[in-house]
Amino acid sequence: MKRNSIILISVLVTVFFCGIGSAPAGLLTPPQPYRIGGTVTLDGTALTQATATGLTITVTKSDGTVYTDVNNNHPTTSTLNASNWYIIDVPLFDASSQPQGANTGDTAKITVTKSGVTYTVTTPPSAQFTVGISGVTFQLNIVGVSAATPTPTPVPPTPTPTPVPPTPTPTPAPTLYTLTVVNSPANGGTVSGSGISCPGTCSKQYAAGTSVSLTAAGTAGYVFKSWTLPSGTSTSNPLVLTVNSDQAVTAVFIVNPSIPTLNEWGMIIFGLLAVTAGFYLRRRQRWGA
C-alpha cells in the first residue's frame, strides 16, 4: 500500500510540471503592444467620426505580411475616437505567446482604404514607420490621396496674341500741274513767290489745289501794270491763285510815266538853253549901251 502511494505521488508531480510547460496559449501573458494613433486626412479633408464611414486602416510588415497577436487578431481599425483619432495596437514578438508579432525596429507599412478606394499614403513617407518598444504610444498622423484625384498639372496661360498693326493705306500720289510765269517785257520787272523767281525760275509744278502767291516788281524805269490770266486780267499785287490745271500767267510792266522820255528830256534841255541864251543877249545889250 505504501508503495502504491509513492507511485501515485510521482505521477501527479510529473503531470503537474508537464502541464506547466505546455500551458494553453490563452493563459500566457504577451508583451504590451506598440500603440500608434493620430488624425487621418484624405484628399485634403481631415476625417471625423461622422465622416469616417467605410474607413479601414491596417498595419502589416513592409512586405505585406500580416502581424498576429496572441488572440489571432491583426492590427487594424475602422473607427475614430472622440478626438477624431485612429488607434492601432501593434503586437510585439514573443516566442511563446506572439511569434507573429513585430520586432522593435521593424519597418511596418500602413494601408488605408475608404468605401472601396485605396489611398496612397504620403504621410508617413512611403506609408512606412519604425516599430517602437513595448508599452509606448506614438502619434503618427496619416495623410493620403486617392488615385481618382491626381494632382492637377498646371495649365500655362494662353499667351495674349501680339496685336498686328493694320496695313496702312497707301497715299495716292498727288496730281501735279505746271504754272508758268512770263514777264512782259522780259526786262520790265521780276516775279517772285511760292518757289517762283522770274527771270530765272519761271516755271514750277504744284499739287492740285495748291494756293500760290506771286508778287511783281518793276525794274528801273518800269512799273507793274497788271496780270494777264487765262480767265482775264487782274491788278492785284500780290496775286493769289489756286493751281488746278496747267496755266500761264503774264506780268505786264510799262515805262514809268513819272520819268521823262528822251524826247521830253531834249525839249527840256532846249528850253533851258534858249532861256539861258536870251538872258545872255540881254545882258550884252545892256553892257554895250
Side-chain angles (χ1 to χ4, degrees), residues 188-213:
T190 63
V191 176
S192 61
S194 300
I196 295 290
S197 181
C198 187
T201 304
C202 297
S203 181
K204 184 174 175 60
Q205 286 189 322
Y206 299 94
T210 301
S211 179
V212 175
S213 177

Side-chain angles (χ1 to χ4, degrees), residues 48 78 107:
T48 65
S78 298
T107 298

Side-chain angles (χ1 to χ4, degrees), residues 12-31:
L12 292 174
V13 169
T14 301
V15 171
F16 175 78
F17 281 104
C18 290
I20 294 175
S22 59
L27 299 178
L28 299 177
T29 302

